[in-house]
Amino acid sequence: MAQLEVTDFAQAVIERMGECKDARFKQVMSALVKHAHAFMREVDLTPEEWMAGIQFLTETGKKCDEKRQEFILLSDTLGISMLVVALDQARGARALADRPGERPTEATVQGPFFWPGAPKKELGADIGEGFGEPTLYHGRVTDTFGKAVADCVLDVWSGDEGGLYDMQKGHEMSLRAQFRTDKEGNYRFWSIKPTYYPVPGDGPVGRMLDKMGRHLNRPGHMHMMLEAPGHQKLVTHIFVKDSPYLDSDAVFGVRNSLVVDFPKHPPGKAPDGRTMDKPFYTAKYDFRLVPKAG
Ligand code: BEZ
Ligand code: FE
């Protein structure tokens, strides 16, 4: 019997999938085996290092529960989540190549702090609850042809003035809500100017980042998820232009088109007519959604 050598094992595994009925699964698994074996050969991995890797993945799994997803954090901090988002957008752009219209708003990572079922609020409501620096978020949602998207559900969430999300503090929702755009596609709400904050660092991924000599921080951002009938769902953020860490986001999520000015205003009348007795910020951003084909 011919014996398998270092460079043969990957091909042998791939050939064992001859009976596999799912062509896409076979393609993905074949590439995974090919690249995983090439990686091991490239670094000449030792048995101790392989055991350390298995131990790390085991700890990562043990750290997961309903509130904590350490595997997603691993994917985020290795740039894989953002690569998947970017591949998806590139695939969408190829599908739209022969249709006129503007480019859609760029997507970014969802992160682990989305909590379905946030309270539904009227346009203009203040969800800042006295935390941090008040900020009026406003703009318009259109499709890539400039047509208003009415009744678009806008789920928004952020951390508090110290960068902590409600989920990290307890069981009460805060600094999150759902709004619906009006007939012209307009949205507006008050919240806070988000600050930079660290991703959870008290688990195996935090230890990995420390050993890599990396920091844990994400630049200040407001999460937004937009869903409207007949349009592709968009998961994205608005990033604060003067925030630290824009050029070294721990999860590689920054897109230049999502970085927004947050001008500061003295106390007085805000653009939505509200009278503010302290300084406030505004953040204007227009979203473009992709209409579903057909
Ligand atoms: C966030 O932006 O909420 C986030 C994203 C990825 C990992 C951790 C947090
Ligand atoms: Fe976040």
Side-chain angles (χ1 to χ4, degrees):
M1 193 176 72
Q3 183 165 292
L4 299 173
E5 302 301 340
V6 164
T7 54
D8 303 327
F9 290 105
Q11 191 52 34
V13 177
I14 291 165
E15 279 166 16
R16 290 273 173 95
M17 285 189 282
E19 304 285 299
C20 178
K21 302 271 187 299
D22 182 333
R24 174 65 178 164
F25 180 66
K26 187 173 176 182
Q27 181 194 11
V28 171
M29 289 310 295
S30 299
L32 178 67
V33 168
K34 184 172 122 193
H35 292 284
H37 282 241
F39 150 70
M40 305 272 191
R41 292 197 305 270
E42 180 183 321
V43 299
D44 197 13
L45 204 78
T46 67
E48 295 74 25
E49 287 166 338
W50 182 227
M51 269 323 291
I54 287 180
Q55 190 61 37
F56 169 77
L57 292 174
T58 307
E59 279 174 48
T60 301
K62 284 185 178 164
K63 193 76 188 167
C64 295
D65 57 29
E66 326 77 65
K67 288 211 161 171
R68 177 81 179 251
Q69 233 302 351
E70 195 77 354
F71 272 115
I72 294 186
L73 189 60
L74 178 60
S75 156
D76 292 339
T77 53
L78 292 182
I80 293 171
S81 304
M82 208 41 223
L83 172 62
V84 172
V85 168
L87 285 171
D88 196 45
Q89 282 226 306
R91 192 179 309 112
R94 285 197 298 278
L96 290 175
D98 55 349
R99 289 164 71 187
E102 303 273 345
R103 286 186 58 172
T105 302
E106 288 193 278
T108 187
V109 288
Q110 178 168 316
F113 301 126
F114 173 65
W115 193 343
K120 296 179 175 57
K121 301 270 180 167
E122 294 297 320
L123 286 177
D126 187 351
I127 62 166
E129 302 165 22
F131 293 109
E133 302 173 292
T135 302
L136 172 65
Y137 293 83
H138 62 117
R140 203 165 168 239
V141 183
T142 65
D143 68 13
T144 45
F145 302 95
K147 189 164 161 259
V149 181
D151 247 352
C152 172
V153 176
L154 202 81
D155 244 294
V156 303
W157 69 102
S158 80
D160 63 15
E161 73 274 27
L164 268 185
Y165 285 78
D166 49 7
M167 287 168 110
Q168 295 172 292
K169 295 189 281 190
H171 299 285
E172 291 260 312
M173 284 191 179
S174 74
L175 289 162
R176 65 177 73 236
Q178 277 187 7
F179 298 94
R180 268 179 196 271
T181 54
D182 66 16
K183 281 200 188 72
E184 281 80 47
N186 295 308
Y187 75 89
R188 63 192 172 279
F189 67 92
W190 287 85
S191 185
I192 62 166
K193 184 183 179 200
T195 172
Y196 69 89
Y197 65 86
V199 300
D202 60 342
V205 173
R207 288 201 301 281
M208 173 194 80
L209 293 176
D210 186 46
K211 198 156 182 183
M212 285 173 149
R214 287 174 52 182
H215 69 74
L216 297 166
N217 293 300
R218 298 214 63 209
H221 57 272
M222 175 64 66
H223 291 262
M224 308 242 181
M225 182 187 285
L226 288 83
E227 283 190 274
H231 297 81
Q232 286 175 20
K233 175 174 158 181
L234 172 69
V235 178
T236 193
H237 307 347
I238 287 176
F239 289 95
V240 181
K241 196 172 192 171
D242 62 3
S243 176
Y245 304 112
L246 274 175
D247 56 359
S248 63
D249 181 2
V251 305
F252 307 91
V254 179
R255 315 301 289 168
N256 293 338
S257 67
L258 302 176
V259 178
V260 175
D261 258 327
F262 277 59
K264 189 172 185 177
H265 307 274
K269 249 208 164 73
D272 66 341
R274 182 177 177 189
T275 302
M276 298 298 291
D277 58 7
K278 58 177 184 169
F280 62 98
Y281 294 84
T282 51
K284 180 175 186 302
Y285 198 80
D286 295 332
F287 294 94
R288 276 194 300 271
L289 301 183
V290 180
K292 280 187 185 150

Short mmCIF file of all heavy atoms in Angstrom, two decimals, residues 137 157-159 165 194-197 218-223 237-240 243 249 262:
data_model
loop_
_atom_site.label_atom_id
_atom_site.label_comp_id
_atom_site.label_asym_id
_atom_site.label_seq_id
_atom_site.Cartn_x
_atom_site.Cartn_y
_atom_site.Cartn_z
N TYR A 137 -29.72 62.07 15.97
CA TYR A 137 -29.41 61.29 14.77
C TYR A 137 -30.56 61.50 13.79
O TYR A 137 -31.74 61.36 14.17
CB TYR A 137 -29.32 59.79 15.11
CG TYR A 137 -28.14 59.47 15.99
CD1 TYR A 137 -28.23 59.63 17.37
CD2 TYR A 137 -26.94 59.03 15.45
CE1 TYR A 137 -27.14 59.36 18.19
CE2 TYR A 137 -25.85 58.74 16.26
CZ TYR A 137 -25.96 58.91 17.63
OH TYR A 137 -24.88 58.64 18.43
N TRP A 157 -28.77 50.57 18.53
CA TRP A 157 -28.26 50.23 19.86
C TRP A 157 -26.83 50.73 20.03
O TRP A 157 -26.08 50.83 19.07
CB TRP A 157 -28.39 48.74 20.16
CG TRP A 157 -27.53 47.76 19.40
CD1 TRP A 157 -26.41 47.14 19.86
CD2 TRP A 157 -27.74 47.24 18.06
NE1 TRP A 157 -25.91 46.28 18.90
CE2 TRP A 157 -26.70 46.32 17.79
CE3 TRP A 157 -28.70 47.48 17.08
CZ2 TRP A 157 -26.60 45.63 16.58
CZ3 TRP A 157 -28.59 46.79 15.85
CH2 TRP A 157 -27.55 45.89 15.62
N SER A 158 -26.51 51.07 21.28
CA SER A 158 -25.13 51.51 21.58
C SER A 158 -24.84 51.24 23.05
O SER A 158 -25.74 50.92 23.83
CB SER A 158 -24.95 53.01 21.30
OG SER A 158 -25.48 53.77 22.36
N GLY A 159 -23.56 51.43 23.41
CA GLY A 159 -23.17 51.35 24.82
C GLY A 159 -23.48 52.69 25.51
O GLY A 159 -23.92 53.65 24.86
N TYR A 165 -22.66 48.07 27.26
CA TYR A 165 -23.99 47.79 26.73
C TYR A 165 -24.89 47.28 27.86
O TYR A 165 -24.41 46.68 28.83
CB TYR A 165 -23.90 46.74 25.62
CG TYR A 165 -23.35 47.29 24.32
CD1 TYR A 165 -21.99 47.50 24.16
CD2 TYR A 165 -24.19 47.64 23.28
CE1 TYR A 165 -21.48 48.02 22.98
CE2 TYR A 165 -23.69 48.17 22.10
CZ TYR A 165 -22.34 48.35 21.95
OH TYR A 165 -21.84 48.89 20.79
N PRO A 194 -21.65 58.12 21.02
CA PRO A 194 -21.01 56.91 21.54
C PRO A 194 -19.49 57.08 21.72
O PRO A 194 -18.85 57.79 20.95
CB PRO A 194 -21.30 55.85 20.48
CG PRO A 194 -22.09 56.51 19.41
CD PRO A 194 -22.06 57.98 19.63
N THR A 195 -19.00 56.40 22.72
CA THR A 195 -17.56 56.48 23.01
C THR A 195 -16.88 55.18 22.58
O THR A 195 -17.55 54.16 22.40
CB THR A 195 -17.35 56.72 24.51
OG1 THR A 195 -15.98 56.61 24.79
CG2 THR A 195 -18.08 55.69 25.36
N TYR A 196 -15.57 55.22 22.44
CA TYR A 196 -14.85 53.97 22.17
C TYR A 196 -14.95 53.06 23.39
O TYR A 196 -15.18 53.54 24.50
CB TYR A 196 -13.37 54.25 21.81
CG TYR A 196 -12.54 54.76 22.95
CD1 TYR A 196 -11.87 53.88 23.78
CD2 TYR A 196 -12.42 56.11 23.19
CE1 TYR A 196 -11.10 54.34 24.84
CE2 TYR A 196 -11.66 56.59 24.25
CZ TYR A 196 -11.00 55.70 25.06
OH TYR A 196 -10.25 56.16 26.11
N TYR A 197 -14.79 51.77 23.18
CA TYR A 197 -14.87 50.83 24.31
C TYR A 197 -14.15 49.54 23.94
O TYR A 197 -13.96 49.25 22.75
CB TYR A 197 -16.35 50.54 24.67
CG TYR A 197 -17.10 49.82 23.59
CD1 TYR A 197 -17.08 48.43 23.50
CD2 TYR A 197 -17.83 50.52 22.64
CE1 TYR A 197 -17.74 47.77 22.49
CE2 TYR A 197 -18.49 49.87 21.63
CZ TYR A 197 -18.45 48.49 21.55
OH TYR A 197 -19.10 47.83 20.54
N ARG A 218 -12.73 49.32 20.24
CA ARG A 218 -13.48 49.69 19.05
C ARG A 218 -13.73 51.20 19.09
O ARG A 218 -14.03 51.75 20.15
CB ARG A 218 -14.86 49.00 19.03
CG ARG A 218 -14.81 47.49 19.00
CD ARG A 218 -15.99 46.95 18.19
NE ARG A 218 -15.87 47.41 16.82
CZ ARG A 218 -16.89 47.61 16.00
NH1 ARG A 218 -18.12 47.40 16.39
NH2 ARG A 218 -16.69 48.03 14.75
N PRO A 219 -13.65 51.89 17.94
CA PRO A 219 -13.97 53.32 17.94
C PRO A 219 -15.46 53.53 18.22
O PRO A 219 -16.27 52.62 18.02
CB PRO A 219 -13.62 53.75 16.51
CG PRO A 219 -13.68 52.50 15.70
CD PRO A 219 -13.32 51.37 16.61
N GLY A 220 -15.83 54.74 18.70
CA GLY A 220 -17.23 55.03 19.01
C GLY A 220 -18.14 54.81 17.80
O GLY A 220 -17.81 55.26 16.71
N HIS A 221 -19.27 54.15 18.02
CA HIS A 221 -20.19 53.88 16.91
C HIS A 221 -21.59 53.65 17.44
O HIS A 221 -21.78 53.21 18.57
CB HIS A 221 -19.74 52.63 16.12
CG HIS A 221 -19.63 51.42 16.99
ND1 HIS A 221 -18.47 51.11 17.68
CD2 HIS A 221 -20.53 50.47 17.32
CE1 HIS A 221 -18.66 50.01 18.38
NE2 HIS A 221 -19.91 49.61 18.19
N MET A 222 -22.57 53.96 16.58
CA MET A 222 -23.98 53.65 16.84
C MET A 222 -24.36 52.51 15.90
O MET A 222 -24.15 52.61 14.69
CB MET A 222 -24.82 54.90 16.55
CG MET A 222 -26.32 54.71 16.66
SD MET A 222 -26.92 54.28 18.31
CE MET A 222 -26.56 55.76 19.24
N HIS A 223 -24.86 51.42 16.48
CA HIS A 223 -25.31 50.30 15.64
C HIS A 223 -26.66 50.61 15.02
O HIS A 223 -27.54 51.17 15.68
CB HIS A 223 -25.50 49.03 16.49
CG HIS A 223 -24.23 48.45 17.01
ND1 HIS A 223 -23.59 47.41 16.40
CD2 HIS A 223 -23.49 48.76 18.10
CE1 HIS A 223 -22.51 47.09 17.10
NE2 HIS A 223 -22.43 47.90 18.14
N HIS A 237 -23.07 50.40 11.05
CA HIS A 237 -22.86 51.36 12.14
C HIS A 237 -22.68 52.75 11.53
O HIS A 237 -22.32 52.88 10.36
CB HIS A 237 -21.53 51.21 12.88
CG HIS A 237 -21.13 49.90 13.43
ND1 HIS A 237 -21.94 48.82 13.59
CD2 HIS A 237 -19.91 49.53 13.93
CE1 HIS A 237 -21.23 47.84 14.15
NE2 HIS A 237 -19.99 48.24 14.36
N ILE A 238 -22.81 53.76 12.41
CA ILE A 238 -22.31 55.10 12.11
C ILE A 238 -21.13 55.30 13.05
O ILE A 238 -21.27 55.13 14.27
CB ILE A 238 -23.39 56.16 12.40
CG1 ILE A 238 -24.49 56.11 11.34
CG2 ILE A 238 -22.79 57.54 12.47
CD1 ILE A 238 -25.61 57.08 11.64
N PHE A 239 -19.96 55.59 12.52
CA PHE A 239 -18.77 55.79 13.36
C PHE A 239 -18.56 57.29 13.63
O PHE A 239 -18.80 58.13 12.74
CB PHE A 239 -17.52 55.26 12.64
CG PHE A 239 -17.46 53.76 12.57
CD1 PHE A 239 -17.93 53.09 11.45
CD2 PHE A 239 -16.94 53.02 13.62
CE1 PHE A 239 -17.88 51.70 11.37
CE2 PHE A 239 -16.88 51.63 13.55
CZ PHE A 239 -17.35 50.98 12.42
N VAL A 240 -18.07 57.61 14.82
CA VAL A 240 -17.82 59.01 15.22
C VAL A 240 -16.46 59.45 14.68
O VAL A 240 -15.43 58.84 15.00
CB VAL A 240 -17.82 59.13 16.76
CG1 VAL A 240 -17.60 60.57 17.18
CG2 VAL A 240 -19.12 58.58 17.34
N SER A 243 -13.32 59.95 16.91
CA SER A 243 -13.06 58.91 17.92
C SER A 243 -11.66 58.33 17.79
O SER A 243 -11.18 58.11 16.66
CB SER A 243 -14.09 57.79 17.76
OG SER A 243 -13.78 56.74 18.66
N ASP A 249 -9.52 49.55 14.72
CA ASP A 249 -10.69 48.86 15.30
C ASP A 249 -10.33 47.39 15.59
O ASP A 249 -9.85 46.68 14.69
CB ASP A 249 -11.84 48.96 14.28
CG ASP A 249 -13.12 48.31 14.77
OD1 ASP A 249 -13.17 47.80 15.91
OD2 ASP A 249 -14.09 48.31 13.97
N PHE A 262 -19.77 64.61 13.90
CA PHE A 262 -20.73 64.85 14.98
C PHE A 262 -20.55 66.30 15.43
O PHE A 262 -19.92 66.55 16.48
CB PHE A 262 -20.49 63.89 16.16
CG PHE A 262 -21.09 62.53 16.01
CD1 PHE A 262 -20.76 61.69 14.95
CD2 PHE A 262 -22.00 62.04 16.95
CE1 PHE A 262 -21.32 60.42 14.82
CE2 PHE A 262 -22.57 60.77 16.84
CZ PHE A 262 -22.23 59.96 15.77
#
